[in-house]
Amino acid sequence: MFGVAFSLDASPAQAARADAVFTVANYPVEATDKNAVAAKDRALADGQKAAFRSLLKRIVPVTAYKQISRLSTVKAGDLVSGVAVRSERNSPTEYIASLDFSFQAEAVRAALQREGIPFVEAQAGAVIIVPVMRQGNPAEAKSDTGPWRTAWSNLDLDHTLTPVKLDALKPVIHSDTVRMLTEGDDNGLRILASEYKSDRIVLAIFEPDLSAKKVVVTLAGQDAVGPLLLKRTYRVPNGPP
């Protein structure tokens, strides 16, 4: 069984860090009802269930996802240890918020172990992610400070199994280096590692092609496993991608 054993003399800070993956942060909730109080109650109840499902999909290996259904009778609200509000707004009948749901680590472990569901809770070392915008002819790469970086910063980057630290593209990293990375050239990896003083760094490259109504997203760099080069093309509707 996957898991982490704690010694009796572990400090509260160490235990809190070890339990970090059991918090689902910056989770969006939204509900409407007959009044603002009822809408908030519904949003919290629905959010607890959805955040618990998100937690299970975080720590249970994808090969065991089908086993998660064994926990269908578990009440997510009984496992929540705390809720923190990041932002919220409401109307007479609507409640919208971004919340941090903290779950009781020992209770979640016990539920998974009782059903024989494997899980992983030990966090890996942090990876640096650099959001990059690449466009033009010839293609020019620059550090992104707009919606692409915002999309990354809106994710829960601290509590995942692989924590992420966002950084900016350094001026010394030119478009040619970015091109080398997207072509799988190891020289690009060496330049990145040297400039960022880390061998765990990945460029998240966003390339819009609005005339073709598509965007290309490339993850290029290296994580704890090794070199990474992943490219995906997405169709987008009319308007900003």
Side-chain angles (χ1 to χ4, degrees):
M1 178 68 65
F2 292 99
V4 174
F6 299 105
S7 62
L8 295 178
D9 59 353
S11 70
Q14 288 173 324
R17 186 67 255 170
D19 292 346
V21 298
F22 293 94
T23 291
V24 178
N26 208 16
Y27 200 86
V29 300
E30 180 177 355
T32 57
D33 213 310
K34 57 186 177 182
N35 56 55
V37 174
K40 182 175 182 178
D41 289 343
R42 172 175 288 190
L44 287 174
D46 292 346
Q48 288 173 349
K49 295 177 184 177
F52 183 53
R53 288 195 299 270
S54 180
L55 169 62
L56 293 177
K57 289 193 172 183
R58 170 188 294 170
I59 63 177
V60 173
V62 66
T63 53
Y65 273 7
K66 290 183 179 180
Q67 300 180 45
I68 291 176
S69 60
R70 299 178 193 170
L71 300 175
S72 59
T73 59
V74 174
K75 295 182 179 179
D78 293 342
L79 301 178
V80 173
S81 61
V83 179
V85 178
R86 293 210 176 194
S87 65
E88 63 180 349
R89 58 189 175 91
N90 65 308
S91 71
T93 59
E94 185 178 39
Y95 180 80
I96 301 173
S98 179
L99 308 175
D100 292 358
F101 292 97
S102 296
F103 292 89
Q104 303 170 43
E106 288 297 341
V108 175
R109 291 187 190 105
L112 290 164
Q113 290 168 347
R114 185 171 59 249
E115 297 297 334
I117 302 174
F119 64 96
V120 179
E121 58 176 296
Q123 286 186 308
V127 174
I128 299 172
I129 296 287
V130 180
V132 175
M133 179 69 69
R134 189 169 182 244
Q135 56 189 141
N137 189 14
E140 180 181 357
K142 62 180 181 179
S143 189
D144 186 67
T145 58
W148 181 229
R149 185 183 179 92
T150 300
W152 280 94
S153 60
N154 284 341
L155 299 174
D156 181 6
L157 303 177
D158 295 326
H159 304 96
T160 65
L161 289 175
T162 303
V164 167
K165 295 180 180 180
L166 294 181
D167 205 340
L169 186 68
K170 295 181 181 293
V172 293
I173 306 296
H174 302 297
S175 295
D176 285 345
T177 303
V178 175
R179 177 183 54 77
M180 284 192 290
L181 287 162
T182 60
E183 294 175 353
D185 189 334
D186 288 345
N187 288 320
L189 292 176
R190 284 191 285 271
I191 294 172
L192 270 190
S194 174
E195 295 298 335
Y196 285 87
K197 304 297 187 291
S198 173
D199 59 358
R200 296 183 181 182
I201 178 166
V202 175
L203 300 190
I205 306 164
F206 187 90
E207 299 178 76
D209 186 347
L210 299 184
S211 61
K213 295 183 179 180
K214 67 178 182 180
V215 296
V216 178
V217 174
T218 304
L219 300 180
Q222 183 165 280
D223 61 10
V225 178
L228 172 67
L229 180 56
L230 177 67
K231 182 178 290 188
R232 293 288 186 269
T233 299
Y234 301 96
R235 290 287 175 183
V236 295
N238 292 328

